[in-house]
Amino acid sequence: MEQVQQKTVLLVGKAGRDDVRELADVMACWLEERGYGVVRVHAQGDDPVYGRTDFGLAVVLGGDGTLLGVARRLARHPVPILGINFGRVGFLTVTPPEEWRGALEAVLAGRGYVQERMALQWQVRRAGESFGGMAVNDVVVCRGAVSRVSTLDVFAGDQFVASLRADGLIVSSPVGSSAYTVSAGGPLVHPAVEALVLTPICPFLNRMPPVVLPAAADVRILLRDGSVETCLTADGQDGACLKAGDEVRVRAVPGGVRLVSASPDRYFDRLGRRGFLGPGGTR
């Protein structure tokens, strides 16, 4: 990566954690001593600062869920995101807290490694109106509290894919394929691949295998009559209630997420630490 030229750093910390706040205090002083402006926000909720375009770097102190929320809000103006891991998984936030100084020095000096990853844009069309948002991992259309299947017509562009009676459907990015998608029986897709992954959730009396589509595909999901208490969730964090007749559209946003670290990504090592590859999956 190139040396960070824009001298303003967005510093986002998980709320309610004393250890996060203490490190954020130290990090902010360290940056300001080196001539960087620092904008600090808590990770919870939206903030107008996410619309700014003058950040040279975003530093997230939290877990993978915290980083997903920040990346989703920055997807329209992607800046490199350095994740400092205060969570349990550490699949996206790969830098341990005790290594923050060396990692930050390397990234600011241009010695970091940037991974440009695909994000998702979703839109709900309803009776001539629309609303939508962004996702990093996945967009899930699924039944609500009532244990009844939803009936979904699935299209890839103008091509009909399937009429699905199921608990729901996951539309995943490659980054998100290692989350809900693989748990639901979908494929594990390398995050450098640009593709959309469709994975049905518990299909009933009909079969639709998981499908991998080109990133240019325009996925459309139509809720047919009889679909009750159906919900949409983005990254398991944002959501909306859907109605029969709604059309959900999901499109790829190439390069919508830029993750940065001080060392090259070792994707299969990360999978091994999470148990995907079983014993002996890493060396």
Side-chain angles (χ1 to χ4, degrees):
M1 66 175 291
E2 297 180 355
Q3 183 175 1
V4 175
Q5 301 294 331
Q6 292 173 289
K7 302 291 283 188
T8 304
V9 174
L10 176 64
L11 189 57
V12 186
K14 184 174 182 178
R17 290 278 299 266
D18 290 340
D19 51 354
V20 168
R21 177 182 52 78
E22 291 169 2
L23 181 55
D25 290 342
V26 173
M27 192 178 293
C29 291
W30 187 90
L31 286 164
E32 289 167 351
E33 289 172 356
R34 286 153 180 78
Y36 290 90
V38 178
V39 176
R40 291 179 60 172
V41 295
H42 292 302
Q44 291 180 333
D46 289 319
D47 192 290
V49 301
Y50 289 115
R52 290 174 53 168
T53 59
D54 60 333
F55 295 122
L57 178 70
V59 182
V60 178
L61 286 74
D64 285 356
T66 304
L67 189 142
L68 283 173
V70 175
R72 192 167 58 249
R73 290 168 173 82
L74 291 175
R76 291 187 175 88
H77 307 289
V79 300
I81 301 173
L82 173 65
I84 309 297
N85 183 29
F86 281 86
R88 292 172 295 180
V89 178
F91 195 67
L92 299 175
T93 49
V94 298
T95 302
E98 61 272 15
E99 298 179 11
W100 73 267
R101 197 184 309 268
L104 198 49
E105 284 178 342
V107 169
L108 292 174
R111 300 194 305 272
Y113 296 83
V114 176
Q115 307 166 45
E116 292 197 355
R117 299 303 187 224
M118 195 187 87
L120 303 172
Q121 182 176 30
W122 61 270
Q123 181 185 56
V124 176
R125 295 183 176 183
R126 176 185 298 162
E129 299 181 350
S130 66
F131 58 92
M134 305 294 295
V136 176
N137 269 358
D138 49 43
V139 176
V140 180
V141 176
C142 62
R143 65 173 176 83
V146 176
S147 184
R148 292 179 59 186
V149 296
S150 298
T151 305
L152 312 172
D153 286 343
V154 184
F155 299 83
D158 294 330
Q159 296 187 58
F160 176 73
V161 176
S163 184
L164 185 65
R165 297 186 68 210
D167 283 355
L169 179 70
I170 306 167
V171 184
S172 170
S173 70
V175 170
S177 70
S178 62
Y180 193 6
T181 289
V182 77
S183 297
L188 191 60
V189 181
H190 193 283
V193 175
E194 292 196 343
L196 293 166
V197 184
L198 309 185
T199 305
I201 307 170
C202 297
F204 178 70
L205 293 182
N206 61 349
R207 293 183 58 82
M208 172 186 161
V211 178
V212 180
L213 298 172
D218 180 8
V219 174
R220 297 187 295 124
I221 305 165
L222 179 64
L223 273 69
R224 293 173 55 184
D225 292 341
S227 298
V228 295
E229 290 195 50
T230 303
C231 304
L232 179 148
T233 60
D235 295 337
Q237 297 177 342
D238 289 347
C241 295
L242 302 177
K243 299 180 180 180
D246 285 353
E247 181 185 73
V248 178
R249 305 188 76 167
V250 184
R251 295 174 176 172
V253 182
V257 180
R258 301 181 69 200
L259 303 177
V260 63
S261 61
S263 58
D265 179 47
R266 297 184 63 84
Y267 174 65
F268 293 103
D269 282 355
R270 290 190 287 125
L271 290 178
R273 288 195 300 270
R274 289 188 64 185
F276 278 106
L277 303 179
T282 60
R283 299 175 64 91

